[in-house]
Amino acid sequence: MPFQSFVGTELMELTAERAVARLRETSQTLNHVGTQHAAALFLVAESAAGAALAAALRERVLETVFVLRDSRIDYHRKARGEIRAVATVPDGKVTAGFTEFADGERFEAVVTSTLYDVEEQQVAEATFSYHCRIRTTH
């Protein structure tokens, strides 16, 4: 996504089980107290979550449209330095059988992202709910 690259998030790993994104610390990502800005942390969490969902939908990802419907992020400690977001789709949080859905069918998917600093301390945790639709092919 162009906006993600503007802020500097990078996708580092993508497997069927998870996605890992990172946010480097730059003067543009810091807040007024010298830690990673809350909005930048949200962005790297959502970046990893979107990639993890795409991996979970891999059988039909090119014909599935998904948009963020709801989100929650909890900040646990000050975030300093490079931040790593690890996102997974919890078991059962992508509708079973979506690969057989008809054109236009809709479903919800939930993804979690956990953010870590360079010392592997958890700095935040986020949950994202996506509204998904199988794209009509006509």
Side-chain angles (χ1 to χ4, degrees):
M1 291 291 172
F3 183 69
Q4 293 169 355
S5 63
F6 173 75
V7 175
T9 65
E10 298 175 73
L11 186 63
M12 305 305 294
E13 177 185 332
L14 182 62
T15 68
E17 292 77 34
R18 71 184 202 158
V20 179
R22 76 173 170 193
L23 173 70
R24 294 188 178 164
E25 182 180 284
T26 68
S27 61
Q28 288 82 17
T29 63
L30 297 179
N31 61 24
H32 64 289
V33 295
T35 60
Q36 291 279 32
H37 194 283
L41 295 173
F42 181 90
L43 182 62
V44 73
E46 199 276 330
S47 176
L53 180 56
L57 299 173
R58 63 193 168 281
E59 293 95 345
R60 295 188 76 180
V61 70
L62 295 178
E63 43 187 312
T64 305
V65 175
F66 55 94
V67 294
L68 186 60
R69 181 182 61 77
D70 189 39
S71 62
R72 176 179 173 87
I73 188 165
D74 294 309
Y75 301 99
H76 302 301
R77 58 186 295 135
K78 293 176 184 175
R80 291 189 168 94
E82 184 174 290
I83 302 300
R84 186 173 56 94
V86 179
T88 58
V89 180
D91 289 340
K93 296 298 182 180
V94 171
T95 303
F98 82 92
T99 57
E100 305 301 321
F101 283 177
D103 288 354
E105 197 153 348
R106 300 169 189 275
F107 60 99
E108 301 292 320
V110 177
V111 184
T112 59
S113 284
T114 306
L115 281 65
Y116 301 93
D117 63 17
V118 293
E119 296 174 350
E120 292 300 312
Q121 297 292 313
Q122 187 182 85
V123 297
E125 188 168 32
T127 302
F128 300 94
S129 297
Y130 293 90
H131 178 77
C132 307
R133 180 180 53 82
I134 302 299
R135 188 185 326 237
T136 304
T137 57
H138 310 299

